[in-house]
């Protein structure tokens, strides 16, 4: 598989895609973006650069049909470009962007689709507009589709890592606690990922909710284990609750 590692080549390929769309429409665009970009090995930052170029060049009202076509191609690179494009649209129309991201994640039906789009849309939006996104994520906690529930963890991990305010981190942790008894493998991975990140960056929140974590029989061991892994990344807290877990539980 050919690799592209330079911005000028990404720009050249993206420009061809833009020109094809303007002259021949969305179906032709789908074919050329696959040939020029999505069939190549390209790192995520360069794919996001391509998305930014598309966002600047394509009229706002014509962008979502392009995203739909990219998603239909079912490539990792396509998920990255479409996810970034939807992220860039979120500032102007958050509700539409969140809804579109949910649609793409369900359609993709793979953990990496959930993570790529969930971080870029739900996670980024949670970081910037928590007062609007948190209620949406709370509703997703009851969604019948497991990828939607996993997305809560993906978004929380991203936003906490990027500096989500402490009060909002605590709100999200309380939501994670409500999901700490789930059994689906992929959903557990997403929720546990977020719990580990909160423990790493905000161990004081774990300390505050110590009883709710360790004395509630509804909180499963996998959730506690992820918290312990996160706490172990902070020297001050590395041995504070060490007696709660067996040695075998600390594997990541």
């Amino acid at each position: 598989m050919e690799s592209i590692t330079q911005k000028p080549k990404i720009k050249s390929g993206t420009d061809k895609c833009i020109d094809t769309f303007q002259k021949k429409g969305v179906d032709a665009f789908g074919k050329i973006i696959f040939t020029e970009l999505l069939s190549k090995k390209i790192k995520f930052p360069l794919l996001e650069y391509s998305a930014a170029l598309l966002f600047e060049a394509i009229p706002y009202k014509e962008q979502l049909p392009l995203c739909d076509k990219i998603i239909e191609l079912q490539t990792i690179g396509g998920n990255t470009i479409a996810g970034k494009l939807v992220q860039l649209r979120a500032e102007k129309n958050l509700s539409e962007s969140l809804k579109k991201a949910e649609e793409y994640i369900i359609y993709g039906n793979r953990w990496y689709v959930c993570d790529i789009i969930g971080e870029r849309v739900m996670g980024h939006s949670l970081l910037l507009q928590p007062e609007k996104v948190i209620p949406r994520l709370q509703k997703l906690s009851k969604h019948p589709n497991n990828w939607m529930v996993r997305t809560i963890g993906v978004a929380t991990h991203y936003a906490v890592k990027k500096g989500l305010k402490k009060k909002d981190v605590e709100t999200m942790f309380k939501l994670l606690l409500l999901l700490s008894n789930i059994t689906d493998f992929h959903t557990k991975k997403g929720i546990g990922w977020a719990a580990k990140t909160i423990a790493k960056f905000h161990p004081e929140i774990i300390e505050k909710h110590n009883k709710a974590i360790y004395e509630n029989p509804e909180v499963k061991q996998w959730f506690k284990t992820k918290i312990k892994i996160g706490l172990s990344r902070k020297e001050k807290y590395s041995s504070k609750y060490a007696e709660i877990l067996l040695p075998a539980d600390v594997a990541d």
Side-chain angles (χ1 to χ4, degrees):
M1 180 183 290
E2 180 186 350
S3 295
I4 301 178
T5 60
Q6 299 175 335
K7 271 191 172 183
K9 288 188 177 181
I10 295 294
K11 187 177 187 307
S12 175
T14 305
D15 286 344
K16 290 180 183 178
C17 296
I18 293 167
D19 184 64
T20 298
F21 171 71
Q22 291 171 339
K23 292 178 179 178
K24 299 182 180 180
V26 68
D27 289 335
F29 169 86
K31 293 178 181 178
I32 194 166
I33 196 170
F34 181 83
T35 301
E36 292 291 329
L37 300 175
L38 303 185
S39 61
K40 319 289 186 184
K41 186 177 180 180
I42 305 171
K43 291 185 177 181
F44 283 5
L46 289 176
L47 291 168
E48 292 184 327
Y49 170 63
S50 175
L53 294 174
L54 290 170
F55 181 77
E56 292 173 1
I58 304 297
Y60 189 84
K61 292 182 179 180
E62 298 178 11
Q63 290 170 3
L64 284 183
L66 296 191
C67 290
D68 291 346
K69 178 58 66 174
I70 292 170
I71 289 294
E72 285 176 12
L73 297 173
Q74 296 187 305
T75 66
I76 291 177
N79 289 315
T80 307
I81 291 175
K84 182 64 176 181
L85 265 169
V86 174
Q87 177 199 106
L88 292 169
R89 293 174 58 86
E91 182 177 348
K92 183 175 182 179
N93 195 331
L94 176 63
S95 180
E96 177 191 72
S97 294
L98 293 175
K99 183 177 179 180
K100 205 66 182 173
E102 292 168 15
E103 175 187 320
Y104 290 160
I105 290 169
I106 292 173
Y107 176 81
N109 196 31
R110 295 289 188 277
W111 68 265
Y112 55 84
V113 179
C114 177
D115 292 4
I116 289 170
I117 296 177
E119 282 201 2
R120 282 162 181 77
V121 184
M122 284 78 162
H124 186 77
S125 298
L126 173 60
L127 178 65
L128 298 183
Q129 302 185 63
E131 71 287 349
K132 295 181 179 179
V133 178
I134 288 175
R136 186 71 167 251
L137 295 177
Q138 289 170 331
K139 288 183 179 179
L140 287 184
S141 70
K142 297 178 175 62
H143 200 285
N145 185 284
N146 287 333
W147 298 121
M148 291 293 92
V149 184
R150 178 185 171 101
T151 302
I152 297 168
V154 173
T156 302
H157 162 77
Y158 177 92
V160 172
K161 184 177 66 173
K162 295 294 185 179
L164 183 66
K165 292 180 180 178
K166 182 179 175 180
K167 66 179 182 64
D168 297 315
V169 175
E170 185 167 6
T171 299
M172 292 309 302
F173 183 72
K174 290 176 181 178
L175 180 58
L176 296 178
L177 269 176
L178 295 175
L179 299 169
S180 63
N181 62 350
I182 55 178
T183 57
D184 175 71
F185 174 79
H186 289 297
T187 311
K188 288 195 300 183
K189 294 288 282 187
I191 300 303
W193 192 20
K196 182 171 64 174
T197 303
I198 290 175
K200 176 182 177 181
F201 287 94
H202 292 278
E204 71 282 357
I205 291 178
I206 305 303
E207 185 172 13
K208 179 178 178 180
H209 294 277
N210 184 38
K211 287 187 177 181
I213 299 166
Y214 296 112
E215 296 182 13
N216 183 353
E218 292 296 315
V219 178
K220 299 302 183 183
Q221 186 60 45
W222 62 264
F223 189 83
K224 297 174 185 177
T225 299
K226 290 299 183 181
I227 287 174
K228 299 304 283 187
I229 294 169
L231 289 174
S232 71
R233 311 282 165 85
K234 287 284 189 179
E235 184 177 350
K236 178 181 176 183
Y237 289 83
S238 60
S239 61
K240 188 164 186 177
Y241 305 116
E243 72 281 359
I244 296 173
L245 295 179
L246 297 173
D249 291 323
V250 297
D252 195 346

